[in-house]
Amino acid sequence: MKPPRQPVSLSRREFIGRASAGAAAMALAPHIRAADLPPPKLGIAILGLGGYAGGQLAPALKLTQNVQITGVVTGTPSKGLNWSQVFGFPEKAIYSYDTMARLADNPTIDLVYVVTPNALHKDHVIAAAKAGKHVITEKPMGVSVAECDAMIAACRAAKVKLSVGYRLHFDPYFAEVTRLAKDKDVGPFKRMGGGFGFTMTEPQWRAEKKLAGGGPLMDLGIYSIQAAGIAKGEVPPVAITALEQPKKRPEFFRDVEETIEWAMDYADGTRAEFVTSYNGGANRFRAESDKGWIDLSPAFSYNGLQGATHQGKLSFEPAVNQQARQLDHIAQCIREGRESDVPGEMGRRDLIIIEAIYKSAAQGGKRVEIKV
Ligand code: NAD
């Protein structure tokens, strides 16, 4: 049976063409010493070949300098075959969730990128760590702090690095947030706000607590938490207050929130107020100090971010690929044996905040103190 076409957009011919161009260049330059060559790319296996893997990570993997795809883990063999043909890795590097312990025997795979529904991250991260592979897991890192603890412990025990797919850290608009926060003529930021939401119409796992762990907060609200982290130099808030809005489509959002608003208070008096929803569009982040501000809209998209500061419109050219930069950064950190800028501990911090938001909302907006 012919495998269905997947949204993987690098053709085999293009891939092989590029590989042989590299080989030809090498043959023309036999005097190049090993020390002059860039270090070999790390090999990555993508686990979970759904929308984000095919739509964003596959194109990013065409651009990465430090990492290349050398395998996949999937429950759908035809998808695995398609990826192996497109990227040129052997069929024996297609694993299923049940056979992924065998990753341990494949030296071409250095790390595994977990891109399955949220509630599956924990088991997949732990299985990858047990196979001796470094791990990146998509956001949210898990669906509870306890799950994050288990993942961090498993990666420590296996002596592998754990990072989260927090792509905003690799976008120049958020680098500008960091720069302004540190600029003595602007920062520190004292007020923040914004939100991320869309109207969900198709039934999907994101609206099921069992697989998603929650509603838009787990999926989209986490971006506002990340943005606030970037604007505050990763200093966490000390207290949370939150309110869930009454559901307009309770039959659709049976066991997850539809819209939730929350505030985060910081030890230095900073206050951040955000909203996230599956029943209305929003895509904005704003941070203000007494001396300046930055306002991004769209703030959280894969590309095409726009924004302005008190000094005028922002423009960063050429456009970057957030995911390629994220992958290259994490691979570089693994090579150098250091933690990435988006480690598992950051994912755990965000789950502490998320749990406090749900706790406050469940108590009708009662202030919940947190300690990260
Ligand atoms: P998706 O539904 O498109 O893909 C999920 C994949 O997991 C599918 O290939 C599916 O077959 C597989 N899977 C394995 N076991 C499953 C099960 N029991 N139930 C359902 N699917 C199962 O989802 P997605 O949009 O690719 O999201 C995957 C992860 O990536 C989520 O954690 C999500 O939050 C994250 N994500 C991150 C970004 C980002 O910008 N960083 C964007 C989108 C998604």
Side-chain angles (χ1 to χ4, degrees):
M1 197 176 76
K2 215 173 152 202
R5 269 195 71 76
Q6 300 297 321
V8 184
S9 39
L10 181 64
S11 73
R12 180 161 168 78
R13 181 177 294 178
E14 189 186 351
F15 185 85
I16 292 169
R18 233 189 266 170
S20 36
M26 286 298 298
L28 287 173
H31 56 281
I32 289 180
R33 293 170 302 145
D36 297 328
L37 295 171
K41 293 181 176 184
L42 295 190
I44 193 167
I46 304 293
L47 182 153
L49 305 180
Y52 190 60
Q56 303 302 322
L57 298 180
L61 282 161
K62 295 181 208 165
L63 306 171
T64 46
Q65 305 294 314
N66 299 336
V67 64
Q68 66 182 350
I69 180 165
T70 48
V72 290
V73 183
T74 176
T76 316
S78 58
K79 282 192 195 176
L81 201 56
N82 188 263
W83 280 67
S84 85
Q85 286 166 353
V86 166
F87 283 102
F89 57 80
E91 280 180 40
K92 65 177 194 264
I94 304 169
Y95 299 85
S96 75
Y97 302 111
D98 298 331
T99 62
M100 62 180 284
R102 291 192 208 140
L103 285 167
D105 305 323
N106 188 337
T108 72
I109 295 173
D110 301 289
L111 70 158
V112 173
Y113 196 151
V114 174
V115 204
T116 43
N118 310 343
L120 308 181
H121 293 175
K122 177 186 70 101
D123 286 352
H124 291 147
V125 166
I126 293 174
K130 282 192 173 153
K133 307 302 176 185
H134 302 285
V135 199
I136 309 173
T137 181
E138 256 315 317
K139 43 57 60 175
M141 178 172 161
V143 298
S144 68
V145 178
E147 285 197 353
C148 297
D149 286 338
M151 287 183 254
I152 290 169
C155 289
R156 275 199 195 131
K159 297 192 168 51
V160 296
K161 301 284 180 209
L162 173 59
S163 297
V164 185
Y166 281 146
R167 56 183 171 75
L168 295 186
H169 289 255
F170 306 96
D171 193 285
Y173 284 82
F174 277 94
E176 184 66 5
V177 172
T178 299
R179 192 189 72 74
L180 290 173
K182 288 183 182 161
D183 184 335
K184 63 177 175 25
D185 295 326
V186 183
F189 292 122
K190 288 300 191 69
R191 295 170 296 281
M192 293 181 272
F196 196 13
F198 70 91
T199 302
M200 182 180 282
T201 50
E202 298 289 320
Q204 54 191 281
W205 64 261
R206 282 179 169 79
E208 282 175 46
K209 189 164 184 187
K210 194 163 146 266
L211 282 172
L217 180 60
M218 286 278 179
D219 185 28
L220 307 175
I222 196 165
Y223 285 94
S224 295
I225 295 170
Q226 273 285 298
I230 292 170
K232 291 304 286 179
E234 306 305 343
V235 173
V238 294
I240 306 288
T241 44
L243 276 180
E244 183 180 341
Q245 296 301 316
K247 292 178 192 180
K248 294 186 178 138
R249 289 184 290 155
E251 72 295 346
F252 198 99
F253 302 104
R254 281 195 307 275
D255 58 2
V256 299
E257 77 280 4
E258 183 181 288
T259 301
I260 194 164
E261 296 171 17
W262 75 99
M264 306 197 289
D265 287 307
Y266 291 75
D268 67 358
T270 300
R271 188 165 172 92
E273 295 178 343
F274 297 113
V275 61
T276 186
S277 179
Y278 277 155
N279 202 20
N283 190 340
R284 183 173 174 205
F285 176 71
R286 181 178 174 91
E288 299 175 354
S289 72
D290 296 335
K291 294 170 280 188
W293 52 266
I294 182 164
D295 202 322
L296 304 180
S297 179
F300 304 125
S301 308
Y302 300 135
N303 47 50
L305 272 59
Q306 293 188 34
T309 72
H310 54 286
Q311 289 172 316
K313 190 172 176 333
L314 290 170
S315 176
F316 295 103
E317 299 288 345
V320 302
N321 182 297
Q322 297 171 349
Q323 291 85 356
R325 295 179 99 202
Q326 172 205 305
L327 284 160
D328 275 337
H329 165 79
I330 291 171
Q332 182 74 17
C333 291
I334 289 171
R335 263 192 201 136
E336 294 170 5
R338 62 187 168 93
E339 291 303 331
S340 74
D341 291 350
V342 286
E345 284 72 14
M346 181 181 278
R348 179 182 185 275
R349 175 203 69 190
D350 292 352
L351 261 299
I352 291 176
I353 294 170
I354 286 173
E355 283 189 355
I357 292 170
Y358 283 134
K359 186 172 173 188
S360 172
Q363 297 176 354
K366 194 165 165 236
R367 181 181 160 96
V368 173
E369 312 264 333
I370 57 169
K371 201 158 186 244
V372 175

